[in-house]
Amino acid sequence: MQPPIRTRTLAVAGAAAVVLASLSAAEASANEAEASIEVDLSDATEISDELYGLFYEDINHAADGGLYAELVQNRSFEFTAADEASYTPLTAWETVAGSVTVETADPLNADNRTYVRTVADTAIVNAGYNTGMAFTEGAAYDFSVWADADAATELQATLVDAEGVALSESVPVPISGSGSWAKAAAVLTAEAASTTGRLMVTAADPVSLDMVSLFPQDTFLGRENGLRPDLAELIADLDPSFLRFPGGCIVNTGSFDPDSRERAYNWKDTVGPVEERRTNHNFWGYNQTYGLGYYEYFQFAEDIGAEPLPVVPVGVTGCGDSPEITDPAELEVWVQDTLDLIEFANGPADSEWGSLRAEMGHPEPFGVEKIGLGNEEYKDQYLANYPAFHDAIREAYPDIAIVANAGVDDAGDVFDRNWAFAREQGADLVDEHYYNSPEWFFANNARYDSYDRMGPHVFVGEYASRSNTWWSALSEASYLTGIERNGDVVDMASYAPLLSNIDYIDWAPDMIWYDNHQTVKSASYEIQKLFSTNAGGEVVASTLDANPIVSPDIAGGIGLATWNTAASYDDVKVTGADGTGLFRDDFATGSDGWTVGGNTAGAWEVADGSYNQTALVEDARTTAGSADWSNYTMELKATKTAGSEGFLVMFGVEGSDDYYWWNLGGWNNTTSAVEKSSNGAKSTLINHDTVIETGRTYDLEIEVEGRNITGYVDGEQAFTVEDKEAIEPLYQVVTRDEDTGEITLKVVNAQDQAITTDIDLEGGRLKDKGEVTTIACDPGCDNALGEDQVVYPQTQKVKDLGNEFTYEFDPYSVTFITLKPQGRH
């Protein structure tokens, strides 16, 4: 073996410059190898050619105020309190001279009913999003408005700053005065840059105004009604194979009443002229204009070379909403809408819906090959409604692949039920979603090793490790090595969510962050890009040999908690494995030794010889014991007195964000589970079917032995589970590009020390010179908006590699080593 080749130390990841490196034996580390990787180049398995893609949802103002380039907020004066409690038709608008009234009597059209009427000499200003509109010096902006005046008149449109100082010339906009609505337009040029810009519109005479718009002429690929180019280019740089849209929870929430302001997402509301698209309440608590609609999604997918994957509702709402369609006739309307969508995407230009696509500017089909039915469906009605959609698509479009879904978690009764149902129905793929702790991702690298290769394939449609630190990104990288190793059964995977405006956060973490003028790529973005742009077409057989890292026993104190429930606890006892009594409290003399905490304090009190929590609040906790307890049995009595759930019995409590709890009667008393919280990110270890009756006293017991947990209810075993979460010395996978023959060895080191590794590739001759890309940083590193990026890749050309070499993988690093076969350029 050759001495180990080392990368340069990366306390902060280096720049993307390419450097030629050839380290001599004297320069290289003399450490003995701590691990080995053996690769058989003659043994390869073909994997999916669309493994890495994107999931887009209008969350965190991902559309309006984000990817959609429109600078005016509330351009059609349609904001209402139904969207968000503080909204009015004049949200984001200020009248700086004269006055306006909000009108509905003579609307622009039936789907855009609200507008404003000015008096003479009125000036109104729109503030846009974030700190205002971002203007670039010398850049041109397209202003347009729909106006209705009784006589010919003129508007003035001007770019101004937050203090009203002009940033452009005031441009006249003639209004015909025909007594009917007409569109008028002008071009404004910014004479100075600003991130606090505004649009001011001045009316000399009374006039009605609607759809007041300001678009930068610089949109992605110059598209009309287009996209913000910096965000679109970051997305395109990921080289995605597919684009799943439009959600997410916005797909399967809302009312099925077509006239409701909180109606379920219907693609037909989002196409055609933008002034005729009905705005709607967005599930995440704001207004969605649908300016970015299905046509634009299809166009964007085509522009970035991604396969479009639309997801449609199936007459069942989730994400906490309750409406369901049970009437077959009503359901058939939604089934037909789904068939119409496929015709819109794929039909000839002279078909009913294909002609609308052609009229919008795309006579050629978009080429939809897959469609998703529902999102995170956990209700029984999903099983009743799904077949109508599935069967109709199979009959009308037999070549379209159908994606069912596995519910809201990575395991459990709903997960198992939905998978069995998908097999029974003959779905092509099943969409799995999970947002778990880094430790879960490290521990579940082998999740898909044992999946059935003959059933539906897997679409990991939403996943993330619950923070944007490098530690979470490392865990995601470790998991992706397992995804690639199983790329014959996992067809597609997409991180979620994709976008977040820093000032409008509904969910975090997210892959790309931005405000009105700048963006930042998260650490997770860098991992997604590294894997996506180096996916390969085959997985080559490889074996890692390294001493396993022994996980410590579960350790920590105990706790009692409730969630929207009142409960009474008594006779708490903790006994060590050797019979030693660690803790006992019958609450006869108070609650000394207990510390009240959690997200809400609740109303904990000792009364009638028991410890009671009487407030119906979320996450009311009280804890006791020592962080060094391990291998113990906890016993207690518990009685639910009111509320919607059951008991939360805590163990292994190390802190407010690090603990286990046995959640009995959770999720509105529909199931029970053992959950683990690591740094505040929860994951489920096991589900079981216990529910809790009000007024009944239960004898509960939890045994913690090593990393095994067993629970008993009234003396009967309810579950047993091993928390296998552990971080391996290395995670690795090897892929081959079928076109070039290049071999890429992908290695993740999540340890705090470098690991020297012998690497042996047999079964084909490789060139000595290769390319090494490394991302490394401290676990807490996090790319932040407006600051220098600290997590990013460094690429080097390295000599002395070939078929056999020793490499030292940096601490907390992801390393890709790419080797060319002999005989190829």
Side-chain angles (χ1 to χ4, degrees):
M1 281 291 182
Q2 299 170 2
I5 294 168
R6 303 180 63 197
T7 60
R8 306 303 185 194
T9 301
L10 295 174
V12 173
V18 178
V19 181
L20 184 65
S22 177
L23 304 183
S24 69
E27 295 174 304
S29 169
N31 294 339
E32 286 189 22
E34 301 153 288
S36 66
I37 297 173
E38 295 185 355
V39 182
D40 183 356
L41 298 174
S42 66
D43 184 2
T45 301
E46 186 175 343
I47 61 174
S48 171
D49 61 359
E50 52 186 11
L51 191 55
Y52 296 111
L54 300 172
F55 162 60
Y56 173 90
E57 179 172 17
D58 188 356
I59 183 175
N60 308 311
H61 276 265
D64 302 309
L67 185 60
Y68 188 46
E70 173 67 78
L71 296 177
V72 176
Q73 183 176 188
N74 189 20
R75 65 184 177 187
S76 62
F77 308 101
E78 295 289 336
F79 279 28
T80 78
D83 303 327
E84 200 276 330
S86 67
Y87 281 0
T88 74
L90 293 175
T91 291
W93 290 96
E94 180 185 3
T95 303
V96 296
S99 65
V100 299
T101 56
V102 176
E103 306 286 347
T104 59
D106 186 20
L108 176 60
N109 57 62
D111 292 322
N112 190 349
R113 300 200 61 83
T114 307
Y115 58 97
V116 295
R117 182 75 179 177
T118 76
V119 299
D121 299 320
T122 291
I124 57 174
V125 173
N126 188 270
Y129 299 89
N130 300 101
T131 58
M133 300 176 184
F135 299 139
T136 301
E137 183 178 358
Y141 298 85
D142 290 327
F143 168 79
S144 64
V145 62
W146 284 80
D148 180 6
D150 294 331
T153 187
E154 186 177 85
L155 302 176
Q156 296 286 328
T158 314
L159 306 182
V160 299
D161 66 14
E163 286 72 41
V165 176
L167 299 173
S168 74
E169 290 186 1
S170 183
V171 176
V173 185
I175 304 301
S176 65
S178 62
S180 61
W181 289 97
K183 187 175 182 180
V187 176
L188 303 174
T189 300
E191 297 176 346
S194 176
T195 59
T196 61
R198 306 287 194 266
L199 170 67
M200 183 166 69
V201 181
T202 304
D205 300 298
V207 62
S208 297
L209 303 175
D210 205 349
M211 291 298 292
V212 183
S213 173
L214 187 69
F215 251 89
Q217 289 188 350
D218 179 20
T219 61
F220 184 61
L221 300 184
R223 299 288 185 195
E224 292 186 13
N225 196 48
L227 307 180
R228 179 173 154 175
D230 57 346
L231 288 175
E233 286 160 8
L234 285 180
I235 293 169
D237 287 345
L238 290 164
D239 192 22
S241 61
F242 65 87
L243 175 66
R244 172 185 170 227
F245 61 87
C249 281
I250 68 169
V251 166
N252 66 330
T253 52
S255 168
F256 292 107
D257 177 357
D259 295 322
S260 171
R261 181 51 177 237
E262 299 182 12
R263 61 193 181 278
Y265 198 106
N266 189 321
W267 73 272
K268 292 178 179 177
D269 290 341
T270 77
V271 294
V274 291
E275 69 273 10
E276 296 177 8
R277 302 182 190 182
R278 291 193 299 162
T279 69
N280 195 19
H281 165 81
N282 179 290
F283 172 79
W284 298 105
Y286 52 92
N287 175 279
Q288 52 189 3
T289 67
Y290 290 134
L292 180 55
Y294 256 78
Y295 178 85
E296 289 76 25
Y297 290 134
F298 282 131
Q299 183 69 76
F300 185 46
E302 182 176 89
D303 286 343
I304 62 177
E307 176 191 337
L309 202 173
V311 181
V312 299
V314 292
V316 186
T317 60
C319 303
D321 272 14
S322 58
E324 299 178 345
I325 295 177
T326 58
D327 178 7
E330 184 181 1
L331 188 68
E332 181 56 34
V333 173
W334 287 84
V335 172
Q336 186 59 51
D337 282 343
T338 301
L339 298 178
D340 292 344
L341 170 60
I342 298 173
E343 183 178 280
F344 175 79
N346 292 356
D350 59 357
S351 63
E352 179 183 0
W353 292 102
S355 64
L356 175 58
R357 181 195 69 240
E359 182 181 328
M360 294 182 71
H362 201 285
E364 296 301 317
F366 282 115
V368 166
E369 297 178 358
K370 299 181 183 68
I371 192 165
L373 298 182
N375 172 73
E376 296 185 358
E377 307 295 353
Y378 54 85
K379 297 180 180 178
D380 291 342
Q381 193 63 36
Y382 167 66
L383 309 182
N385 289 359
Y386 173 97
F389 293 83
H390 182 108
D391 294 348
I393 294 169
R394 284 283 191 251
E395 180 179 353
Y397 300 100
D399 294 332
I400 297 288
I402 296 176
V403 184
N405 68 88
V408 297
D409 209 344
D410 59 85
D413 294 340
V414 170
F415 181 90
D416 293 339
R417 181 203 70 180
N418 281 17
W419 257 102
F421 179 71
R423 290 189 183 94
E424 174 190 307
Q425 291 293 309
D428 299 288
L429 296 105
V430 176
D431 185 4
E432 296 186 359
H433 295 180
Y434 32 82
Y435 297 91
N436 291 331
S437 66
E439 289 73 20
W440 184 95
F441 283 96
F442 283 124
N444 281 272
N445 177 269
R447 175 181 176 88
Y448 296 109
D449 288 0
S450 59
Y451 264 51
D452 179 10
R453 266 56 182 170
M454 303 305 293
H457 282 201
V458 179
F459 173 27
V460 186
E462 297 182 31
Y463 70 92
S465 181
R466 299 244 176 159
S467 86
N468 279 140
T469 65
W470 178 235
W471 182 242
S472 282
L474 264 182
S475 76
E476 291 155 3
S478 76
Y479 192 71
L480 291 179
T481 66
I483 291 281
E484 289 196 358
R485 187 175 62 251
N486 290 282
D488 61 324
V489 70
V490 180
D491 283 4
M492 303 184 296
S494 49
Y495 180 99
L498 175 62
L499 295 170
S500 182
N501 188 312
I502 196 71
D503 291 330
Y504 307 96
I505 302 172
D506 307 302
W507 183 285
D510 303 284
M511 199 192 301
I512 300 169
W513 293 83
Y514 54 90
D515 58 17
N516 61 352
H517 68 287
Q518 59 188 342
T519 65
V520 65
K521 299 175 286 188
S522 70
S524 294
Y525 175 97
E526 295 293 3
I527 289 302
Q528 295 299 317
K529 182 179 179 182
L530 189 60
F531 276 85
S532 180
T533 56
N534 296 275
E538 295 178 321
V539 165
V540 180
S542 61
T543 304
L544 170 69
D545 184 14
N547 291 328
I549 298 172
V550 178
S551 298
D553 293 345
I554 294 172
I558 62 169
L560 308 170
T562 60
W563 195 286
N564 288 329
T565 300
S568 175
Y569 295 105
D570 203 356
D571 295 333
V572 179
K573 181 171 68 171
V574 182
T575 307
D578 60 358
T580 302
L582 300 176
F583 183 88
R584 187 160 193 165
D585 199 339
D586 62 4
F587 305 104
T589 59
S591 57
D592 291 344
W594 293 89
T595 300
V596 172
N599 290 336
T600 51
W604 291 96
E605 62 177 3
V606 172
D608 300 324
S610 61
Y611 201 14
N612 307 302
Q613 205 294 106
T614 56
L616 301 181
V617 296
E618 293 183 353
D619 196 8
R621 307 181 208 166
T622 180
T623 58
S626 173
D628 62 2
W629 285 355
S630 61
N631 296 295
Y632 58 77
T633 298
M634 177 184 181
E635 300 170 79
L636 69 151
K637 296 183 183 296
T639 308
K640 172 182 173 179
T641 57
S644 59
E645 303 211 350
F647 315 117
L648 294 167
V649 182
M650 305 177 72
F651 58 98
V653 178
E654 296 181 283
S656 60
D657 289 333
D658 297 280
Y659 57 87
Y660 298 78
W661 67 24
W662 185 9
N663 187 346
L664 292 117
W667 296 271
N668 291 317
N669 204 22
T670 59
T671 189
S672 296
V674 177
E675 298 178 280
K676 179 180 180 179
S677 175
S678 299
N679 294 318
K682 286 206 291 288
S683 55
T684 300
L685 301 183
I686 193 171
N687 288 85
H688 62 95
D689 59 6
T690 299
V691 295
I692 300 301
E693 298 175 21
T694 301
R696 174 181 166 185
T697 298
Y698 292 84
D699 289 315
L700 305 178
E701 180 180 337
I702 297 174
E703 293 180 356
V704 181
E705 182 178 359
R707 299 197 67 80
N708 293 291
I709 310 159
T710 305
Y712 298 86
V713 178
D714 293 335
E716 297 290 330
Q717 181 175 305
F719 72 88
T720 186
V721 65
E722 180 184 2
D723 178 11
K724 298 179 181 179
E725 294 191 359
I727 300 174
E728 300 298 332
L730 295 174
Y731 299 85
Q732 61 84 30
V733 68
V734 183
T735 60
R736 175 159 51 210
D737 186 301
E738 293 177 289
D739 294 329
T740 66
E742 288 181 341
I743 299 296
T744 302
L745 174 64
K746 308 168 185 181
V747 179
V748 178
N749 178 11
Q751 305 302 314
D752 61 0
Q753 59 188 7
I755 298 181
T756 304
T757 307
D758 289 338
I759 299 169
D760 188 4
L761 301 101
E762 299 182 347
R765 296 182 62 194
L766 301 170
K767 293 182 178 180
D768 289 344
K769 186 187 296 183
E771 185 173 272
V772 178
T773 298
T774 302
I775 310 177
C777 208
D778 291 333
C781 288
D782 187 1
N783 293 334
L785 194 68
E787 299 180 8
D788 290 340
Q789 189 163 329
V790 296
V791 180
Y792 56 107
Q794 172 177 293
T795 298
Q796 296 178 316
K797 299 289 187 182
V798 178
K799 296 180 179 179
D800 302 325
L801 294 175
N803 286 80
E804 192 175 0
F805 58 95
T806 300
Y807 198 90
E808 188 174 271
F809 293 102
D810 285 335
Y812 304 124
S813 67
V814 178
T815 304
F816 279 31
I817 302 174
T818 300
L819 304 166
K820 294 181 181 292
Q822 293 277 11
R824 299 227 190 168
H825 296 290

